[in-house]
Amino acid sequence: MSSVPFSSSVVEFVQDAPKSLKGVGFIVVIIFPVMVSAISALLAVSLLPSLAASGLLLACTVTGLMRMTVSRESLLVMRMMGLQLRTEYWLGGEQTTFISHQQIEDVIINEAITMHRVVYYLAVLLKSEDNTPKLIPLFQNSLPPLKTLKEIQQGCQEVLWNNNR
């Protein structure tokens, strides 16, 4: 995670994907489709064209899955403007969402309890007219540790509201 001092009017938090996924991403994106394509080409020459088509389909499926694999998530906090959420994918895709300052009630740390563990995550609590809370989770794919989440939450609140809460 990297950031600039909280005293500025803009702060950005960046969280890379877990390191264990980076090596897998290279293997699956580069080596696996090439290997499957080579095997498919060899099989196409032989009497097994249906296996060649299956191998090609598998290579396309794996490549498609890697397009959806997140490589980096970032949160840009702008005083008096709002939050910009950005997700970057392994094969170059990108998704950006903006949440206006007027829509934000608070930035909170929430917990999800699964069968085997408790997962903490950062979320934006949005204002609503019908008193039903709406949460937008942040850093869903990288899941930073609780200590990091506390630093990001403090930075968001300081930039958005000058800690006047």
Side-chain angles (χ1 to χ4, degrees):
M1 182 194 75
S2 61
S3 65
V4 294
F6 298 145
S7 60
S8 67
S9 61
V10 176
V11 64
E12 182 174 20
F13 300 97
V14 178
Q15 186 71 33
D16 289 328
K19 292 179 182 174
S20 60
L21 290 179
K22 290 185 179 183
V24 172
F26 174 76
I27 291 169
V28 173
V29 170
I30 305 298
I31 298 172
F32 187 71
V34 170
M35 199 169 68
V36 170
S37 297
I39 292 170
S40 298
L42 289 174
L43 291 174
V45 174
S46 70
L47 299 174
L48 303 170
S50 63
L51 283 177
S54 299
L56 189 58
L57 179 63
L58 180 63
C60 291
T61 303
V62 169
T63 304
L65 288 174
M66 287 311 294
R67 276 194 192 117
M68 297 184 300
T69 303
V70 173
S71 64
R72 175 177 282 183
E73 294 176 295
S74 67
L75 172 66
L76 182 65
V77 186
M78 298 165 279
R79 187 180 315 261
M80 303 305 294
M81 291 188 70
L83 304 173
Q84 177 181 298
L85 318 172
R86 190 164 143 229
T87 305
E88 297 175 24
Y89 299 93
W90 279 107
L91 295 181
E94 184 177 297
Q95 180 182 1
T96 305
T97 305
F98 180 76
I99 303 171
S100 172
H101 186 271
Q102 289 82 17
Q103 295 177 290
I104 301 171
E105 178 81 29
D106 202 356
V107 178
I108 63 170
I109 296 175
N110 208 0
E111 61 186 16
I113 301 172
T114 67
M115 293 285 285
H116 304 287
R117 66 183 186 151
V118 176
V119 178
Y120 296 97
Y121 64 94
L122 199 65
V124 178
L125 181 62
L126 299 180
K127 295 177 183 174
S128 68
E129 297 163 2
D130 59 356
N131 291 333
T132 55
K134 181 170 181 183
L135 290 177
I136 298 178
L138 307 174
F139 300 109
Q140 296 180 68
N141 299 288
S142 52
L143 292 175
L146 182 59
K147 180 181 177 186
T148 305
L149 292 177
K150 287 179 180 179
E151 292 173 10
I152 296 172
Q153 179 192 28
Q154 176 190 1
C156 288
Q157 290 177 343
E158 196 167 311
V159 170
L160 288 172
W161 299 287
N162 291 327
N163 258 355
N164 295 332
R165 297 196 58 96

